[in-house]
Amino acid sequence: MPLSLHLDHDAEAVRYTLKAIELGYREPRLMRGVGMRLTDEGRWADALVMYEALLPNIEPKSGTFVALRSEMGRLGYLAERYDEAADAFADVLVAVAEPDEFGLSEENVADLLGDKTITYGMF
């Protein structure tokens, strides 16, 4: 995977990373980077796989968890995986309702919600 990325063979790096995740590989920085690249390419279902693999490494009552779940909800929605989107957004709604429990400031909550019309439309 790193060699493919170094040689600018992005498609191969993504393919190898997806296969590695199937086999149990977990390298958070690499998965996050590949997930972001897949998102930029509009490969939302594949990006969702990357982010799902990150979840076990993240404290559930943290801002990082909420941000990841928010992105997973958005990707699930875009990939038309609505059950997964709803589950992810449910976690976000709990955190928005109880921001202190997740260490979220008012600014964090505002960032999570972004354009409320669009965000609540997805919810």
Side-chain angles (χ1 to χ4, degrees):
M1 292 175 290
L3 179 60
S4 296
L5 289 171
H6 178 72
L7 296 173
D8 293 324
H9 294 185
D10 295 346
E12 288 86 0
V14 168
R15 190 172 63 246
Y16 295 143
T17 303
L18 288 169
K19 185 63 178 171
I21 286 173
E22 287 176 25
L23 298 172
Y25 177 78
R26 301 289 185 270
E27 199 324 287
R29 288 187 330 167
L30 178 63
M31 290 185 299
R32 182 176 177 273
V34 172
M36 290 170 57
R37 184 169 288 162
L38 290 167
T39 298
D40 290 344
E41 293 175 4
R43 294 178 57 187
W44 302 305
D46 288 336
L48 194 54
V49 169
M50 294 293 158
Y51 293 133
E52 287 169 349
L54 288 172
L55 275 180
N57 300 320
I58 297 174
E59 171 62 39
K61 291 275 185 168
S62 69
T64 301
F65 177 81
V66 177
L68 181 61
R69 293 301 280 159
S70 179
E71 182 64 5
M72 290 173 71
R74 189 179 74 82
L75 290 169
Y77 180 86
L78 291 169
E80 299 180 357
R81 292 167 68 172
Y82 299 119
D83 289 343
E84 292 176 50
D87 288 343
F89 285 143
D91 290 338
V92 175
L93 287 171
V94 167
V96 167
E98 302 170 14
D100 292 338
E101 288 202 31
F102 291 83
L104 299 175
S105 67
E106 287 181 27
E107 184 178 311
N108 295 143
V109 171
D111 287 344
L112 280 171
L113 295 178
D115 182 332
K116 291 181 182 179
T117 303
I118 294 170
T119 302
Y120 282 105
M122 282 191 298
F123 289 176

